[in-house]
């Protein structure tokens, strides 16, 4: 029943969302003109989302039908994967809608609040952001946990975590993440094309050619620009981080499903832990939102946001400690031959939180005003447009060094602590505070819109000064948010990659194989062509926007004299149509490429399977995508803040330059180039690499390597291998279905109990998969399946009593061996009692080195003698 606490956390987050949404809408919305302008923005945003959703429906419904059909073709999936996909798609779209809705209400209210004080303006704008953050996290936690509960009860109720049906349940759950990430990619790319087409058009004609302010009401593209902030930086970002959040939790659950442990949750603790971490992080973020406050006009908005961010991280860290201690069991935990403890898992979580924090700090350094990187771009603006571009590109490239070193260190340390589970749980820890990260991120476009409304409404100078203060900080927080997202994507993609390898049935990816190396190169190319398509789309739409704005200035008299209102709706229509049309091809690349490689190369190469080639592709995409994402996001952010620095004036070679100067025009050009970098292709990279990994994970059961799929040429002599043991399912009288190998201890014990042979001292059955390390009396976590099955057999046959016998190899003297073997038998007895068997039905005894089953002359023989056997003493 404890699992139901996780969806409860999601419900609490959504209740907070509704409460704060109402608080924002209850704030005064300013005068009639401000409300009219805000209405234009809201109407444009809704029009875009409706057009986008219509196109996405054409994608989602056929995809769901295909997934449903594929679910009938293998025992490892189910048609229900289509339902999970559609729910994930809907939740992702709805998360973006919630963010957009609150942003279009908070922007005008922030502008009005700025008439009062900076503190009130921050309160309104950040509260609007927190509505989005808590809404996204609440939907993710609620949706994922409820679907997990449903699929567990539907497919695998009462079965072990490592059972085939449990694997099916989590594979079907992956459909939820696929739906979320698919919609996120289209929303991010489409929203990014929209906002940057409008922004570039507004800047080039309005600021550079006409010499009017950025958000001047006379600029026909200014409404489209403000709409773009909502559909790109808010709705797109909401869907983006919703998908990231879900993918991170799912990746950890997929790897956790491979772990066999004895715990208080019937062995489910490795899968439950990431869900509880997400719930705890959501609550920690909720509490921390109340700490984001300032007292005066001179207070630092950045410091206020940092306090909330640091508080959420600290609370989450403390919560994770208690979660790990109380959920994971004591003793060793093993995943793919890597053994670790629950404290090692906690240390991996610390690594994730540290990596996320460092990524934010590094990104802030490279994009914040007043720091060396931005100042270097400002200095280069003094000698023209070309040197500004050169400087921005150099900053972007340089900014990849520290983040990549941080990520590399994070991967190494988290893996050293807890293997692949450590890497994935580090990502889960990093993403736990998504609600706070997104609240800080969404605050930025709300403040930006507020400044635009203040400018268009010609509010007093002190109002625009306050909104500019918020906007400048928001620009930096947006950049740090993107750095945080790409860091989580790198760790999550590695975890998803590991999960794919396991399900696809391959042990390694050998780049010495030519098809794999080819896949690696093709994968490295994909982020480049993806970026090219996104940037080209912005360029095409911006050209249409520039021509439209020029036409209106030329053909509509009275615009520049404030006598005639521009035709805002035509610019909105240009951005909407262009973004919807241009988002399809980049999205298709991410979705179709893994399918083409996975199925298209199946059986083509005799020595290389298609999962290996697809693995090479994913490795190339991940490395190249992470680098491209960091480079583009940071270069764009630095260019943007270099331009903003001119608003207060900057010194270049001892001369002060302000808006309208030649260096400022060069900075505007740099910002224009950086716009699609930082708001379209750059932030889409993290979705690209995760989505391709998730698509690969979903198709893995259909392309998995089976015996005979890959032909390996072996040198003589020929080895004839024994047939693989047959796995059988046995339904007990208790209603529980066990899965075990034919001829295994479970099979032997059940047949003996149901036979006419009398119980006695001579019937002994060896545990074939339960051994101990040399000199150890601790049961290996990977050896517990047979113990759990014996426990279920005893529950089904309540009159049966057994005796557990422990043995030892010849290490030490007879007394040592007898003591150790007794402790081993007692450990198995204790494990059975923990699983619900009455201790009165159990005996245990050690036999030292008596009755060896193999020679002690070799380690292999000694390992066989370190065994446990069971005798049925009463039927």
């Amino acid at each position: 029943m404890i699992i139901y606490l996780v969806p409860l956390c999601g419900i609490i987050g959504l209740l907070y969302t509704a409460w704060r949404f109402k608080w924002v809408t209850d704030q005064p919305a300013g005068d009639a003109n401000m409300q009219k302008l805000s209405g234009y923005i809201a109407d444009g945003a809704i029009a875009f989302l409706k057009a986008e959703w219509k196109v996405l429906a054409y994608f989602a419904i056929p995809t769901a039908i295909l997934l449903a059909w594929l679910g009938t073709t293998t025992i490892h999936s189910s048609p229900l994967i289509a339902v999970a996909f559609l729910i994930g798609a809907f939740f992702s779209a709805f998360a973006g809608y919630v963010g957009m809705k609150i942003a279009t209400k908070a922007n005008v209210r922030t502008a009005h609040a700025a008439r009062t004080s900076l503190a009130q303006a921050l309160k309104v704008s950040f509260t609007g952001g927190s509505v989005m953050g808590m809404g996204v996290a609440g939907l993710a936690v609620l949706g994922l946990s409820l679907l997990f509960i449903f699929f567990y009860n539907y497919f695998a109720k009462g079965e072990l975590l490592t059972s085939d049906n449990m694997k099916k349940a989590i594979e079907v759950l992956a459909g939820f993440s696929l739906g979320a990430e698919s919609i996120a990619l289209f929303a991010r790319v489409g929203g990014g094309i929209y906002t940057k087409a409008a922004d570039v058009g507004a800047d080039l004609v309005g600021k550079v050619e006409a010499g009017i302010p950025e958000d001047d009401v006379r600029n026909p593209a200014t409404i489209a620009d403000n709409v773009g902030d909502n559909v790109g930086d808010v709705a797109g970002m909401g869907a983006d981080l919703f998908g990231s959040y879900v993918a991170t939790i799912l990746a950890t659950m997929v790897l956790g499903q491979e772990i066999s442990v004895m715990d208080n949750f019937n062995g489910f603790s490795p899968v439950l832990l990431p869900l509880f971490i997400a719930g705890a992080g959501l609550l920690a973020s909720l509490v921390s939102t109340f700490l984001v406050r300032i007292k005066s006009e001179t207070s630092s908005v950045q410091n206020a946001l940092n306090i909330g961010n640091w508080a959420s991280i600290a609370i989450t860290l403390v919560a994770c400690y208690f979660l790990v201690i109380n959920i994971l069991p004591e003793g060793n935990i093993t995943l793919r031959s890597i053994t670790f403890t629950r404290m090692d898992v906690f240390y991996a979580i610390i690594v994730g939180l540290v990596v996320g924090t460092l990524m934010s700090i590094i990104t802030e350094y490279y994009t914040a005003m007043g720091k060396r990187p931005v100042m270097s771009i400002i200095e280069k603006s003094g000698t023209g447009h070309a040197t500004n571009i050169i400087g921005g590109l150099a900053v972007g490239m340089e900014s990849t060094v520290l983040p990549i070193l941080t990520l590399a260190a994070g991967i190494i340390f988290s893996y050293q602590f807890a293997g692949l589970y450590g890497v994935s749980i580090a990502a889960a820890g990093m993403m736990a505070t998504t609600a706070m990260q997104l609240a800080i991120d969404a605050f930025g476009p709300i403040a930006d819109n507020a400044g635009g409304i203040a400018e268009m409404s010609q509010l007093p100078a002190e109002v625009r000064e306050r909104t500019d203060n918020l906007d400048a900080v928001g620009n930096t927080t947006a950049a740090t948010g993107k750095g945080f997202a790409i860091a989580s994507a790198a760790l999550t993609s590695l975890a998803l990659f590991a999960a794919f390898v396991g399900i696809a049935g391959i042990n390694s990816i050998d780049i010495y194989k030519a098809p794999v190396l080819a896949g690696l190169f093709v994968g490295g190319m994909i982020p480049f062509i993806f970026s090219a398509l996104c940037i080209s789309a912005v360029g095409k739409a911006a050209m249409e926007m520039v021509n439209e704005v020029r036409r209106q200035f030329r053909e509509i008299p009275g615009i520049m004299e404030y006598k005639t209102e521009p035709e805002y709706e035509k610019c909105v229509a240009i951005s909407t149509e262009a973004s919807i049309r241009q988002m399809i091809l980049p999205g298709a690349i991410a979705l179709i490429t893994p399918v083409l490689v996975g199925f298209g190369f199946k059986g083509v190469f005799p020595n290389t399977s298609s999962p290996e080639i697809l693995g090479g592709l994913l490795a190339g995409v991940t490395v190249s995508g992470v680098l491209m994402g960091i480079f583009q996001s940071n270069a764009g952010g630095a260019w943007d803040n270099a331009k903003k620095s001119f608003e207060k004036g900057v010194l270049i070679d001892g001369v002060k330059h302000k808006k309208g100067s030649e260096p400022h025009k060069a900075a505007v050009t740099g910002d224009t180039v950086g716009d699609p970098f930082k708001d379209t292709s750059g932030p889409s990279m993290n979705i690209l690499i995760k989505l391709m990994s998730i698509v690969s994970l979903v198709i893995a059961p259909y392309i998995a390597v089976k015996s005979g799929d890959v032909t390996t040429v072996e040198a003589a002599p020929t080895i004839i291998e024994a047939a693989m043991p047959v796995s059988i399912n046995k339904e007990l009288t208790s209603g529980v279905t066990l899965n075990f190998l034919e001829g295994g201890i479970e099979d032997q014990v059940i047949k003996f109990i149901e036979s006419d042979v009398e119980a006695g001292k001579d019937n002994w059955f060896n545990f074939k998969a339960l051994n101990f390390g040399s000199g150890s009396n601790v049961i290996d976590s990977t050896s517990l399946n047979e113990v759990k099955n014996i426990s279920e057999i005893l529950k089904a046959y309540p009159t049966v009593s057994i005796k557990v016998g422990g043995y030892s190899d010849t290490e030490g003297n007879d007394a040592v061996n007898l003591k150790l073997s007794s402790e081993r038998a007692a450990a198995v007895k204790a494990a059975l009692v923990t699983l619900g068997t009455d201790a009165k039905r159990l005996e245990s005894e050690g036999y030292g080195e008596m009755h060896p089953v193999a020679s002690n002359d070799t380690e292999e023989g000694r390992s066989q003698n370190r065994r446990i056997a069971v005798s049925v003493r009463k039927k």
Side-chain angles (χ1 to χ4, degrees):
M1 292 299 292
I2 193 172
I3 183 61
Y4 288 97
L5 291 175
V6 179
L8 179 61
C9 291
I11 291 171
I12 292 171
L14 293 178
L15 289 174
Y16 172 95
T17 300
W19 171 48
R20 302 308 280 170
F21 189 99
K22 185 177 185 306
W23 183 88
V24 171
T25 55
D26 287 343
Q27 302 307 301
D31 57 38
N33 186 47
M34 293 171 65
Q35 293 181 43
K36 181 182 74 170
L37 293 168
S38 176
Y40 286 153
I41 297 170
D43 291 344
I46 288 292
F48 168 79
L49 287 185
K50 286 181 178 179
E52 183 181 57
W53 290 343
K54 184 178 179 180
V55 173
L56 293 181
Y58 294 143
F59 153 76
I61 294 173
T63 303
I65 294 171
L66 177 62
L67 287 171
W69 174 76
L70 286 173
T72 65
T73 63
T74 175
I75 61 171
H76 298 296
S77 188
S78 162
L80 284 178
I81 193 172
V83 177
F85 170 81
L86 289 175
I87 293 173
F90 172 77
F91 272 36
S92 181
F94 185 65
Y97 172 79
V98 169
M100 187 279 300
K101 196 71 177 175
I102 189 61
T104 55
K105 289 184 176 294
N107 55 13
V108 68
R109 288 163 174 81
T110 299
H112 182 74
R115 287 172 154 178
T116 306
S117 66
L118 180 63
Q120 186 63 17
L122 172 63
K123 185 177 181 181
V124 175
S125 56
F126 179 75
T127 302
S130 67
V131 168
M132 181 182 177
M134 297 302 299
V136 167
L139 284 170
V141 170
L142 182 66
L144 195 62
S145 59
L146 285 181
L147 278 178
F148 171 73
I149 293 168
F150 172 77
F151 290 140
Y152 164 72
N153 284 300
Y154 186 83
F155 291 112
K157 187 174 183 180
E159 296 191 25
L160 298 174
L161 177 64
T162 52
S163 69
D164 286 341
N165 280 333
M166 197 61 231
K167 185 180 293 185
K168 178 191 289 188
I170 294 183
E171 171 68 17
V172 173
L173 186 63
F176 182 77
S177 183
L178 177 61
E181 287 287 8
S182 300
I183 299 303
L185 181 65
F186 285 113
R188 197 56 157 134
V189 173
I193 294 170
Y194 186 113
T195 183
K196 291 304 107 181
D199 197 3
V200 170
D203 281 358
L204 289 181
V205 185
K207 286 193 291 188
V208 177
E209 294 182 9
I212 59 177
E214 180 174 357
D215 292 306
D216 196 294
V217 71
R218 296 169 291 178
N219 192 329
T222 191
I223 293 295
D225 187 9
N226 282 278
V227 171
D229 291 336
N230 291 283
V231 301
D233 293 337
V234 179
M237 177 61 83
D240 178 355
L241 284 190
F242 177 87
S244 299
Y245 201 33
V246 169
T248 303
I249 300 169
L250 177 74
T252 313
M253 294 173 72
V254 173
L255 288 174
Q257 192 269 334
E258 297 182 28
I259 299 174
S260 177
V261 293
M262 183 83 68
D263 55 33
N264 296 325
F265 307 98
N266 198 30
F268 277 73
S269 58
V271 165
L272 296 180
L273 182 60
L275 288 170
F276 276 99
I277 288 175
L282 187 151
L283 297 181
S285 298
L286 188 153
V287 172
S288 301
T289 58
F290 296 102
L291 302 179
V292 179
R293 296 287 183 271
I294 60 173
K295 295 180 179 179
S296 68
E297 296 294 309
T298 57
S299 298
S300 171
V301 174
Q302 184 69 63
N303 287 344
L305 295 172
N306 288 343
I307 289 171
N309 189 30
W310 282 104
S312 66
I313 293 172
I315 296 170
T316 299
L317 182 61
V318 173
C320 284
Y321 173 79
F322 289 103
L323 286 172
V324 169
I325 292 299
N326 288 284
I327 292 179
L328 293 180
E330 292 187 68
N332 291 333
I333 302 169
T334 303
L335 173 65
R336 301 186 187 180
S337 302
I338 302 296
T339 301
F340 49 91
T341 66
R342 62 187 184 186
M343 284 307 297
D344 291 328
V345 173
F346 176 66
Y347 297 144
I349 293 172
I350 294 176
V351 170
L353 290 169
V354 170
V355 168
T357 303
L358 287 176
M359 288 292 286
S360 295
I361 292 172
I362 294 167
T363 306
E364 180 182 345
Y365 170 73
Y366 276 101
T367 58
M369 287 192 286
K371 306 291 186 180
R372 178 192 62 81
V374 170
M375 293 303 298
S376 70
I377 297 175
I378 292 171
E379 290 173 6
K380 290 179 176 63
S381 300
T383 51
H385 302 251
T387 48
N388 173 281
I389 300 299
I390 292 169
L393 290 173
V395 166
M397 292 177 184
E398 179 193 327
S399 72
T400 63
V401 177
L402 291 178
I404 291 299
L405 292 177
T406 300
L407 280 173
I411 291 170
I412 291 171
F413 282 114
S414 58
Y415 186 88
Q416 285 295 111
F417 283 127
L420 289 170
Y421 188 76
V423 176
S424 60
I425 206 71
M430 183 191 304
M431 291 297 292
T433 58
T434 290
M436 174 56 75
Q437 297 294 334
L438 192 49
I440 294 172
D441 203 332
F443 144 84
I446 291 173
D448 190 4
N449 262 207
I453 292 172
E455 181 72 48
M456 288 186 285
S457 302
Q458 298 180 334
L459 297 181
E462 66 268 16
V463 175
R464 186 61 204 249
E465 187 175 336
R466 287 166 182 153
T467 59
D468 282 348
N469 187 339
L470 297 177
D471 184 26
V473 174
N475 198 52
T476 301
T477 60
T480 57
K482 289 160 190 167
F484 174 84
I486 199 71
S488 70
L491 295 182
T492 302
S493 294
L494 181 58
L496 288 168
F497 183 78
F500 162 76
V501 167
I503 293 176
I506 55 178
N507 297 319
S508 61
I509 297 181
D510 186 357
I511 63 170
Y512 282 106
K513 294 181 177 181
V516 176
L517 186 60
L520 184 69
F521 274 96
V522 172
M525 169 272 297
I526 286 176
F528 284 85
I529 186 61
F530 182 92
S531 296
L533 290 170
C534 291
I535 294 170
S536 177
V538 171
K540 291 176 183 176
M543 287 172 64
E544 292 183 50
M545 188 69 68
V546 166
N547 289 331
E548 174 60 24
V549 175
R550 285 173 176 169
R551 183 197 68 79
Q552 292 197 33
F553 280 154
R554 183 176 62 251
E555 298 180 4
I556 303 177
I559 288 181
M560 298 304 291
E561 294 79 24
Y562 298 100
K563 294 178 181 179
T564 306
E565 189 175 83
E567 296 175 346
Y568 301 121
E569 68 281 357
K570 292 192 175 180
C571 291
V572 170
I574 288 173
S575 274
T576 301
E577 292 168 9
S579 59
I580 297 299
R581 184 174 63 251
Q582 301 288 343
M583 74 179 184
I584 295 173
L585 185 55
I589 288 175
L591 287 164
I592 295 175
T593 303
V595 177
L596 291 178
V597 173
F599 288 101
F601 290 96
K602 191 174 182 180
V604 172
F605 300 101
N607 299 320
T608 309
S609 65
S610 66
E612 291 178 275
I613 301 171
L614 182 52
L617 182 90
L618 294 178
V621 167
T622 301
V623 173
S624 177
V626 169
L627 284 164
M628 285 288 284
I630 295 171
F631 158 61
Q632 292 185 83
S633 295
N634 288 349
W639 265 318
D640 194 354
N641 271 340
K643 176 205 69 175
K644 279 186 167 57
S645 299
F646 282 89
E647 292 173 1
K648 291 185 178 180
V650 296
L651 286 175
I652 301 176
D653 295 330
V655 179
K656 192 165 189 177
H657 297 272
K658 290 191 174 184
K659 292 174 69 172
S661 63
E662 288 303 315
H664 175 248
K665 291 179 180 179
V668 171
T669 299
D671 178 42
T672 306
V673 173
D675 272 340
F677 274 36
K678 71 180 177 66
D679 288 325
T680 307
S681 58
S684 298
M685 286 296 113
N686 73 84
I687 312 176
L688 172 72
I689 61 180
K690 290 198 303 298
L691 180 57
M692 293 187 68
S693 294
I694 291 167
V695 172
S696 302
L697 183 64
V698 169
I699 67 172
Y702 310 100
I703 62 172
V705 175
K706 302 179 180 63
S707 178
D709 281 355
V710 180
T711 302
T712 303
V713 180
E714 295 280 357
T718 302
I719 299 174
I720 301 176
E721 296 186 358
M724 292 292 292
V726 178
S727 178
I728 58 178
N729 291 317
K730 172 74 174 179
E731 184 174 356
L732 304 178
T733 56
S734 60
V736 173
T737 299
L738 298 185
N739 177 268
F740 49 79
L741 296 179
E742 185 176 20
I745 185 172
E746 304 95 331
D747 195 15
Q748 297 177 52
V749 169
I750 291 172
K751 287 179 178 177
F752 181 81
I753 292 172
E754 294 179 345
S755 72
D756 295 330
V757 180
E758 293 185 4
K761 298 181 179 179
D762 298 325
N763 60 89
W764 285 98
F765 311 104
N766 287 326
F767 281 90
K768 293 185 177 180
L770 178 66
N771 293 295
F772 295 83
S774 180
S776 172
N777 60 7
V778 177
I779 304 175
D780 191 299
S781 63
T782 61
S783 304
L784 290 173
N785 276 347
E786 290 180 336
V787 177
K788 294 174 182 177
N789 286 345
I790 293 295
S791 170
E792 293 296 339
I793 292 170
L794 291 174
K795 292 176 185 176
Y797 300 96
T799 60
V800 170
S801 297
I802 65 171
K803 184 168 188 174
V804 180
Y807 297 83
S808 175
D809 53 6
T810 53
E811 292 188 0
N813 55 40
D814 291 345
V816 171
N817 288 326
L818 183 61
K819 179 176 181 294
L820 181 59
S821 65
S822 299
E823 290 172 347
R824 288 170 173 169
V828 174
K829 177 182 176 180
L832 290 168
V833 171
T834 300
L835 289 169
T837 305
D838 187 348
K840 295 178 182 178
R841 300 169 60 192
L842 303 172
E843 298 178 60
S844 69
E845 187 176 5
Y847 301 108
E849 59 192 61
M850 295 171 59
H851 316 299
V853 297
S855 169
N856 280 313
D857 294 336
T858 65
E859 176 53 34
E860 182 180 357
R862 288 192 292 272
S863 68
Q864 293 181 49
N865 291 334
R866 297 191 288 267
R867 74 188 192 282
I868 293 292
V870 161
S871 173
V872 178
R873 293 305 168 93
K874 180 182 176 182
K875 288 189 177 182

